[in-house]
Amino acid sequence: MKLFRRLLLVLSVATAVVGILRVGGGGKQRVTTKQGGWRAYTPSK
Amino acid sequence: MIGVVGAGLVGARAIDALVASGQVQVAINDANLAVANRVASRASRENVRVSAVQVVQMFEMNVVVLAGPAPHAKAARNLLEAGVSVVSCSDDVEDVLAMLDLDAIARESRQTLVVGAAMSPGLSGLLVRSLASRFDEVDEAHVAVHGTAGPACAQQHHRSLAGQSIGWHDGDWLRRPAGSGRELCWFPDPVGPRDCYRAEHADPVLIHHGVPALLRVTVRMSANRRDRLTARLPMLTPPHAEGGTGALRVEVRGWLGESRHVEVVGVADRVAQVAGVVAAATARGVVAGGFGSGVRVLGDDDSPNDNILREVAAGGIRLREFVGSATN
């Protein structure tokens, strides 16, 4: 029973950490158009 | 007059592109005459005559586009000997090698044979040549392809994952098992990133033929696990009438001043559409006298590459270049 409670505790802490990391990562930088990507290519004349 | 042999997707799109670019007389031939008639009647306009003809009438044309399944070498030889220039859309390695051997016949009959005038090969060579102008010296070209055109193209895609890929590597032809060498390649939107593998594809042969200065030329093709697992088996399900949006990605590396430089261009569109537009632009280039006699590949020194690429862009193919950062 004690082992089971410890397991639950570890799982809940791990879940909380993962949740925090996910929320913390919510402000990730989005790739804007100024940061590159595919542009129209015009063949040279 | 321009003739098209093969009324499949590529042939039909080539007809459409020829008509759209102002060609007023086009002939089409197919083993299935009903299909040829249907394509001809659909493409005909008030001032444009697209006629379905017998194969013997192709010997009366100025230029014939071979848009059917490979092999094309025998038909190309017969047409050249009859004094007809040929544009081939074949992407089969053995077929392409056989056509490159027809140079003497083409020169003797003073006609042009353009080998590999489709998306890959074809547009890939044009893009390599176009990008090369941005470098002081180019030494590597890496091509990646995604998608297929019609059923014959899908079968070729299937076979190419079971054979031996061929690549030019530091002055020697390097053979590796097709389906190996996974690389994540980013194609223009909406295709995006795809796992690509070595494949038995004619691109390295033709790009090296067109730009001999390159030290390394490779080609990869997108595939999933099922494609690779079943590559050595017969196709388990019939191919689609037309693949979805395909894509081509050409990466050229070389020297710009003292530093290494990389340029990436690509296109995302239906493969048959791209192949048809490239074939049509090439055929018009042959009619206009832009190509000399003999065997030619798109991207070589003596071909009107810039004109054809501009015509391809004017034909509605949206070329894209990858810009890695805001400073470029």
Side-chain angles (χ1 to χ4, degrees), chain B residues 79-93:
Chain B
L79 287 162
L80 288 171
E81 286 175 342
V84 180
S85 289
V86 179
V87 174
S88 165
C89 301
S90 177
D91 60 353
D92 181 84
V93 175

Side-chain angles (χ1 to χ4, degrees), chain B residues 280-306:
Chain B
T282 306
R284 284 174 56 82
V286 173
V287 170
F291 291 86
S293 63
V295 169
R296 298 276 171 247
V297 302
L298 295 180
D300 69 12
D301 284 332
D302 302 324
S303 298
N305 302 302
D306 290 338

